[in-house]
Amino acid sequence: MPFQTGLIGWPLGHSVSPAMHNAAFAALGLEGRYDALPVAPEEVAALVHSLPMRGYRGVNVTIPHKQAVMPLMDDLSDAARAIGAVNTVIVERFSKSLSAEAASNDLGNRFTVLRGDNTDWLGFLHPLEARGFELAGKSALLLGAGGSARAVAYALAMRGVSQLAIWNRTPDRAAELAHHVAALAPALTIHQFTNSPFPISHFPFDLIVNTTPVGMWPNADASPWPDDLPFPPGALVYDLVYRPEETRFLRQAAAAGCATQGGLAMLVAQGAAAFEMWTGLNPPMDVMLAAAAAALRS
Ligand code: NAP
């Protein structure tokens, strides 16, 4: 059975995910396909329920369906539950028969389970772990309190940061995220801020993460960081924005002597984690990165 996978969202626009996953299937010599599946909100339930019948092994889920698909799942991972969003659906097939031979021959005697997971938090952690950045006991500043901020905050809480400051334009959303993370990690000290400038004079932040879309193409001249605000010395500055690959925020941080991390590695790592869930195989991350970068530049 081919590895049929895809991406559901609305509108989908130009996604790099099909190029990245299809390159991975080709590199591993697998019969597989990753389709763009634009689906309007009123049709998402019917599409998700049809996935097993249409032979899908799973799909990624993007805006605006990440919350909407949750009640459609038979099972949710701890991460999806804690983050409050599903970005990966896995179609699990079981045979009612215990005989392996019958299981492979008798497709009619199968049943399926839709499992919802979230790989954004793993994707966020991957480049940090790859560069040996230890999060335990560190102090982090999060810019933004939307969907990706929830995945990042979950990752930071799971890896034991000791202080988390959340800055967001809309105060209620910062408060909601702070409340949410406090329930997940009672030992974590959480601060919320809604007014610029960022509270860098109060805390020696080790990590600053932009989870807002500020600086994203076509507004690449924008940055969430004021020009006259210094960066905390020695901080690692991470931008989730990956279009452009090097944002103005990262250029400001690099000019101030900070180490920087762009969002493309996270995009690839969250996709690779989903690929592994669907196929059970080690994803060729270098191939996926090259394909994603080429798709972004095209
Ligand atoms: P989202 O749920 O819509 O949240 C956006 C957040 O940014 C909110 O907190 C919002 O504040 C804030 N914001 C938006 N415009 C702003 C502005 N002009 N000034 C200040 N704050 C602003 O979006 P998301 O899903 O978290 O995605 C955010 C960004 O992360 C996007 O650029 C997306 O491409 C990127 N992303 C990257 C990856 C990756 O793999 N690299 C994964 C996920 C997301 P309010 O609450 O005040 O509206």
Side-chain angles (χ1 to χ4, degrees):
M1 196 173 170
F3 290 97
Q4 201 173 336
T5 59
L7 173 66
I8 64 173
W10 185 261
L12 267 187
H14 175 66
S15 167
V16 304
S17 292
M20 177 168 85
H21 285 275
N22 286 324
F25 286 129
L28 295 179
L30 291 178
E31 195 188 336
R33 208 179 73 202
Y34 186 102
D35 306 317
L37 299 166
V39 56
E42 59 275 18
E43 283 156 16
V44 76
L47 182 121
V48 167
H49 285 134
S50 76
L51 291 171
M53 207 178 60
R54 295 167 65 188
Y56 277 87
R57 298 287 186 107
V59 289
N60 283 136
V61 184
T62 189
I63 292 168
H65 304 319
K66 285 184 173 188
Q67 281 87 34
V69 301
M70 291 185 75
L72 308 175
M73 299 293 109
D74 299 303
D75 185 26
L76 289 170
S77 70
D78 290 345
R81 234 183 272 275
I83 294 166
V86 161
N87 84 330
T88 302
V89 175
I90 303 110
V91 179
E92 292 183 339
R93 292 168 198 276
F94 298 96
S95 170
K96 289 174 190 163
S97 165
L98 291 178
S99 147
E101 194 187 344
S104 63
N105 292 332
D106 183 9
L107 281 174
N109 195 31
R110 286 176 176 225
F111 66 97
T112 55
V113 166
L114 294 176
R115 191 159 63 78
D117 210 325
N118 191 305
T119 63
D120 281 336
W121 75 286
L122 296 171
F124 168 74
L125 288 175
H126 190 274
L128 293 177
E129 288 169 353
R131 63 196 302 157
F133 187 86
E134 178 60 56
L135 283 165
K138 294 280 167 62
S139 169
L141 170 61
L142 203 52
L143 310 180
S148 59
R150 285 173 84 97
V152 170
Y154 175 75
L156 296 175
M158 289 301 105
R159 289 297 182 268
V161 297
S162 58
Q163 299 222 37
L164 178 64
I166 302 168
W167 177 90
N168 195 53
R169 181 178 61 177
T170 306
D172 285 358
R173 255 181 133 185
E176 192 189 316
L177 180 59
H179 183 73
H180 180 77
V181 182
L184 287 173
L188 176 59
T189 306
I190 303 169
H191 313 268
Q192 313 159 30
F193 303 90
T194 50
N195 297 315
S196 285
F198 305 125
I200 54 153
S201 53
H202 303 314
F203 304 102
F205 291 114
D206 303 298
L207 176 68
I208 300 171
V209 187
N210 175 39
T211 73
T212 79
V214 179
M216 185 168 77
W217 187 89
N219 301 312
D221 288 341
S223 165
W225 199 263
D227 275 325
D228 55 357
L229 190 68
F231 283 85
L236 172 61
V237 176
Y238 193 149
D239 199 341
L240 262 56
V241 173
Y242 54 83
R243 198 189 310 242
E245 279 176 62
E246 193 190 36
T247 59
R248 177 150 179 264
F249 177 46
L250 293 186
R251 289 199 303 276
Q252 286 170 295
C258 292
T260 61
Q261 177 63 56
L264 187 59
M266 170 176 171
L267 180 76
V268 171
Q270 62 77 31
F275 186 93
E276 190 170 352
M277 288 173 184
W278 297 325
T279 64
L281 299 170
N282 220 355
M285 289 190 65
D286 50 344
V287 170
M288 295 177 85
L289 176 62
L296 264 186
R297 286 169 202 149
S298 71

